[in-house]
Amino acid sequence: MTFLIQQTLIYAVPLMLIALAGVFAERSGIINLALEGIMIFGAFCGVLFVNLMQKSGALAKENAMSLMCLAMAVSTLSGIIFSLLLSLAAVNFSANQTVTGTALNMLSPALVLFLINLIANQNVLSMAEGDASSWFMIRKKALGFDVSRDYGFFMETFFFKSYPADYICIALFIILSVVLYKTRFGLRLRASGENPHAADSLGISVRKMRYLGTGISGALAALGGFVFVLTTANCSATGDVAGFGFLALAVMIFGNWKPLPIALTSLLFGLFKCIAAAYSTLDLNGDGRYFLAEIGISTSFYRMLPYLITLVVLAFTSKSSRVPKAAGIPYDKSKR
């Protein structure tokens, strides 16, 4: 059970952060279909920073947590910069946001793979030294705890063999959810996505709010991309994030653009992703048998299970979803 919970959180935490990224953009009136592309770019920038710092010797293994936090900051900044392409096209040029997002999703993996080949002369950019679990995971031995001792369910599940990056993301999710729904800034941002003309009449700069919403969206998506590859891909950038950006859009719609339903939905999808990735080693009731591996269902079924669930969920919930009224509609001050 401990393993199942840990692995579910590893998939669920980046997913809910990226879904919140979509919420910030759409609440401001911009449809951010480029979440996948921003994730890929943010993951690459974070991994590149880790790689360069290890090669230079600027931060040794004893400073692994500082290195992780700095890499998260770099990926966040890269997401803000990359999202400016969407903001510029959608706000300044009133371009079709769906087409723009699709174009950015096509640009990002091509650009990242080109840069990886240029830097590493191969299709994968990894850490220069060690692996992600030995550097960035909380381990008993590294902290001076007795390796053979059982410290109880809570400590064994939520502390040891966990990534601090996940808890940073959870804290960020909570803080930004409060900002979006309990502050003046959040109210102005949501007004820009619901009724921009009314917001403008009250002195709110709709263009500014949409730039800020898209910038925050880009920052969260890039950070989620780096945390995703850090915890699931051994801190390696490959120009691919397994469709998590699109899965996050489904989570956002199913969660009806609200933080708490998004968090719960992310846990559900994270569970299915965990089953798909580790079904052959899951001991569900602790009897030493791997039931899911023994029932004879094809491996391909488990792998496509999260995406099948996505289709089923969207089919039953999309009609009742309430999209921000002005999402995807370019703001023209002259029209009422």
Side-chain angles (χ1 to χ4, degrees):
M1 184 58 71
T2 293
F3 175 78
L4 183 64
I5 293 173
Q6 288 177 336
Q7 293 300 306
T8 297
L9 286 175
I10 281 176
Y11 289 106
V13 170
L15 192 59
M16 72 180 187
L17 194 67
I18 299 155
L20 186 66
V23 171
F24 264 92
E26 295 205 13
R27 285 295 185 189
S28 72
I30 303 294
I31 296 176
N32 190 356
L33 286 184
L35 291 175
E36 179 94 355
I38 298 172
M39 279 184 70
I40 292 170
F41 189 71
F44 164 74
C45 291
V47 173
L48 177 62
F49 181 81
V50 171
N51 181 282
L52 293 175
M53 288 297 101
Q54 287 181 326
K55 284 181 177 178
S56 67
L59 290 170
K61 194 172 183 178
E62 292 75 21
N63 305 112
M65 291 301 107
S66 297
L67 176 59
M68 182 195 71
C69 291
L70 287 172
M72 292 172 71
V74 168
S75 65
T76 300
L77 180 60
S78 71
I80 295 173
I81 294 170
F82 195 81
S83 68
L84 286 175
L85 295 173
L86 176 61
S87 301
L88 187 66
V91 178
N92 290 65
F93 301 114
S94 300
N96 186 294
Q97 295 167 19
T98 301
V99 174
T100 303
T102 303
L104 292 177
N105 282 334
M106 296 172 67
L107 170 66
S108 181
L111 176 63
V112 165
L113 283 173
F114 170 74
L115 293 173
I116 290 174
N117 273 281
L118 197 65
I119 295 166
N121 200 28
Q122 57 184 8
N123 293 328
V124 179
L125 180 66
S126 303
M127 296 172 62
E129 177 186 339
D131 56 66
S133 61
S134 64
W135 274 68
F136 305 117
M137 182 183 279
I138 300 173
R139 292 183 173 274
K140 292 180 182 179
K141 187 176 180 179
L143 296 176
F145 288 90
D146 185 356
V147 178
S148 60
R149 181 182 169 186
D150 187 342
Y151 288 89
F153 176 78
F154 183 84
M155 288 285 285
E156 294 289 342
T157 302
F158 298 104
F159 188 68
F160 299 122
K161 292 187 178 181
S162 64
Y163 288 91
D166 283 337
Y167 296 115
I168 292 173
C169 288
I170 291 173
L172 197 58
F173 180 88
I174 294 171
I175 292 168
L176 289 177
S177 297
V178 172
V179 167
L180 184 60
Y181 283 94
K182 299 297 181 180
T183 65
R184 180 180 297 179
F185 168 76
L187 179 61
R188 291 181 175 184
L189 187 79
R190 288 182 285 121
S192 299
E194 287 291 337
N195 195 329
H197 290 97
D200 188 31
S201 69
L202 294 173
I204 298 171
S205 174
V206 175
R207 289 163 63 92
K208 179 182 176 181
M209 285 296 111
R210 291 189 170 185
Y211 259 98
L212 288 171
T214 310
I216 295 171
S217 177
L220 294 178
L223 177 58
F226 173 66
V227 173
F228 174 75
V229 299
L230 174 72
T231 56
T232 67
N234 196 28
C235 199
S236 298
T238 61
D240 179 44
V241 286
F244 246 56
F246 298 109
L247 195 57
L249 287 171
V251 169
M252 178 188 70
I253 295 169
F254 184 38
N256 206 20
W257 290 266
K258 295 179 180 178
L260 182 58
I262 283 174
L264 296 176
T265 305
S266 296
L267 288 172
L268 174 65
F269 280 77
L271 175 63
F272 284 112
K273 283 292 291 184
C274 171
I275 292 172
Y279 74 94
S280 61
T281 58
L282 284 178
D283 183 3
L284 297 177
N285 53 10
D287 61 358
R289 295 184 61 190
Y290 305 120
F291 173 74
L292 295 178
E294 294 174 358
I295 57 179
I297 295 178
S298 170
T299 301
S300 300
F301 174 78
Y302 288 112
R303 288 178 178 174
M304 67 181 182
L305 187 60
Y307 306 100
L308 284 175
I309 297 298
T310 301
L311 291 174
V312 171
V313 165
L314 288 179
F316 284 98
T317 63
S318 58
K319 287 186 178 180
S320 60
S321 298
R322 186 187 177 280
V323 185
K325 291 180 181 178
I329 303 173
Y331 176 60
D332 186 346
K333 197 170 185 176
S334 64
K335 294 181 180 179
R336 294 289 176 181

